Amino acid sequence: MVQAAHAQDAPNFEVYGFAQVDFTQDFNRVDPAWDDALRPSKIPTTQGTFGDNGQTSISVKQSRFGVKAQQDIAGKPLFVKFEFDLFGVGGDAGQTTFRLRHAYGQWGPVLAGQTNSVFMDGDIFPNTIEYWGPTGMVFLRNPQIRYTFGSGPGQFAIAVEKPGNDIDPGNIRTVSPELGANIRGDESLPDLTGHYRYQGDWGHVQLAGILRRVGYETVGTTDNKPKNTKLGWGVNATSNIKVGAKDVVHLGVVYGEGIASYMNDGGTDMGPEAATGVTLPLPTPVPPGSLRGDVLPLLGLTAYYDHYWNDQWSSSVGWSMTKVDNTDFQEATAYTYGQYASANLLYTPDPRILIGGELLWGERKDFNDNKGDDLRVQVSFKYSFSSKDFR
């Protein structure tokens, strides 16, 4: 959740972060670039793809550093946050390197910069120690310009956000390698997101929506054809429900078409399918107009329970899943279903110290019904700091 700016008598500045080491014992295998996180999409569905079962890793990638400041400017509160960790992704996957998490400012109701998407509810992320977290929740930190209406228990926010279409060429790469290699996402309009959130003594509920233009074009061809666009949309309903003094139930359900880019793990926004009246398999060469791109329907579910045994011991247990409806011309190995489940026991003798162990299980299923799963144990040591501790 984005921290709101609050008026204060004096400016406030804080340097904070933590050093964390994770020991992971994997009993199966995942993509070696992702040994330090359990992402169902990185689980192989063919035995031996990444070698024999069993892998050990020790990582400091979760370690984090940040600064934040707030003060009144022209009668309105200004809050600024800059934060990064060391978990490499994309071209840096598998590396211990800079990864930007937050870089934004909020002056009154106007926020600009990179932070949690308005389509996301970061507060339903459970009290787990594994880095990536539940597969079936919306989770994206995205550059955006946001305006928040209202104050008190009910708030409405709307934003334009950076588009990022994930296009799967599918079997086009087989029937026409050159065409498949030149298909690109067409990101000519920003994504539009909004949410309404109600906060009460019992917890909160949030309903979020997204509208986006999902498209593709082919570079190096006349008029960049074939090309097409579709409407992507989604609805994300989330809630935290307090149980007793400290326990929390985290719930989330998301459904939409062309929203995989906003999910924590799994799926693509658009895939190829046969045009109306065209039957598969296609002849070679592929007749013009026989294929088109379509947005992929996606369903995500998350259910977790954080329980506090006492002031120092706690546990989090739960399950999450993502299900994608593939198009008929995606490859047999396309991601179609993923599950994630975990349970832990955490010890916090002081708010600045955490020691814990976690048992994790994940499963992936492909379009051709091939399955793979992963079982692992993670033990973590986390030591936090803040400049406020030295005042």
Side-chain angles (χ1 to χ4, degrees):
M1 179 181 177
V2 175
Q3 181 171 342
H6 298 285
Q8 293 196 343
D9 294 332
N12 181 277
F13 181 81
E14 181 183 3
V15 178
Y16 65 94
F18 57 79
Q20 179 167 334
V21 64
D22 303 320
F23 171 87
T24 302
Q25 181 60 56
D26 202 337
F27 300 109
N28 299 344
R29 291 297 292 270
V30 298
D31 183 335
W34 294 93
D35 281 335
D36 300 312
L38 180 55
R39 297 184 61 182
S41 66
K42 305 302 178 181
I43 297 173
T45 55
T46 300
Q47 185 70 23
T49 298
F50 300 121
D52 292 336
N53 285 344
Q55 186 76 356
T56 296
S57 177
I58 301 178
S59 167
V60 297
K61 295 176 185 175
Q62 286 209 60
S63 299
R64 187 181 304 175
F65 184 86
V67 295
K68 53 188 176 183
Q70 56 187 47
Q71 60 183 313
D72 282 354
I73 300 292
K76 297 179 182 179
L78 171 67
F79 178 81
V80 181
K81 184 174 185 177
F82 181 88
E83 179 183 292
F84 66 90
D85 61 28
L86 303 176
F87 206 102
V89 298
D92 292 326
Q95 304 299 311
T96 304
T97 187
F98 177 96
R99 184 194 188 196
L100 183 65
R101 292 168 56 88
H102 301 279
Y104 72 92
Q106 182 175 1
W107 184 51
V110 180
L111 180 150
Q114 175 173 308
T115 190
N116 295 351
S117 168
V118 172
F119 189 48
M120 165 186 167
D121 183 357
D123 289 336
I124 72 162
F125 202 102
N127 190 25
T128 57
I129 54 176
E130 190 270 323
Y131 181 79
W132 211 258
T135 181
M137 66 180 292
V138 175
F139 196 100
L140 179 67
R141 301 184 192 96
N142 209 21
Q144 62 192 267
I145 301 171
R146 176 192 306 191
Y147 192 93
T148 301
F149 301 85
S151 60
Q155 288 191 346
F156 175 73
I158 189 169
V160 289
E161 303 195 22
K162 177 184 177 181
N165 295 339
D166 188 359
I167 309 299
D168 180 13
N171 281 314
I172 294 175
R173 291 172 293 201
T174 301
V175 299
S176 180
E178 182 177 355
L179 181 65
N182 290 320
I183 291 177
R184 302 285 188 273
D186 179 8
E187 299 160 354
S188 59
L189 291 175
D191 296 343
L192 178 64
T193 57
H195 74 228
Y196 176 78
R197 181 186 180 99
Y198 182 84
Q199 187 81 41
D201 294 337
W202 52 271
H204 81 267
V205 62
Q206 178 173 301
L207 183 64
I210 184 171
L211 292 173
R212 59 197 312 252
R213 179 184 184 273
V214 183
Y216 71 95
E217 58 186 359
T218 309
V219 298
T221 63
T222 303
D223 198 27
N224 294 322
K225 292 183 177 180
K227 60 183 179 181
N228 194 18
T229 61
K230 290 282 188 174
L231 176 66
W233 64 273
V235 178
N236 184 27
T238 54
S239 181
N240 279 355
I241 302 171
K242 296 180 181 180
V243 180
K246 297 178 69 176
D247 291 7
V248 179
V249 176
H250 306 278
L251 299 172
V253 55
V254 55
Y255 182 80
E257 297 181 349
I259 60 170
S261 293
Y262 281 78
M263 297 299 296
N264 199 23
D265 184 54
T268 55
D269 295 319
M270 177 176 277
E273 68 175 5
T276 303
V278 176
T279 58
L280 298 176
L282 295 176
T284 303
V286 178
S290 59
L291 291 173
R292 64 184 181 186
D294 202 2
V295 287
L296 275 64
L298 181 150
L299 171 69
L301 301 175
T302 299
Y304 262 81
Y305 178 48
D306 291 346
H307 175 64
Y308 291 83
W309 304 98
N310 52 46
D311 290 340
Q312 296 184 335
W313 292 91
S314 65
S315 293
S316 182
V317 59
W319 166 87
S320 184
M321 77 89 176
T322 301
K323 183 181 185 300
V324 177
D325 291 337
N326 300 104
T327 55
D328 56 16
F329 211 64
Q330 286 188 269
E331 293 180 328
T333 56
Y335 178 99
T336 192
Y337 183 77
Q339 294 189 81
Y340 176 105
S342 66
N344 64 28
L345 181 63
L346 308 179
Y347 175 55
T348 52
D350 182 274
R352 292 159 292 192
I353 298 174
L354 181 147
I355 303 170
E358 194 162 76
L359 178 67
L360 299 119
W361 173 82
E363 180 188 55
R364 170 178 171 151
K365 180 180 177 182
D366 289 342
F367 191 23
N368 62 3
D369 290 333
N370 282 357
K371 293 182 180 181
D373 64 2
D374 187 56
L375 180 68
R376 59 173 53 190
V377 172
Q378 178 174 319
V379 178
S380 297
F381 299 81
K382 175 182 175 182
Y383 307 105
S384 301
F385 66 88
S386 169
S387 57
K388 290 185 176 181
D389 295 337
F390 303 100
R391 293 180 180 176

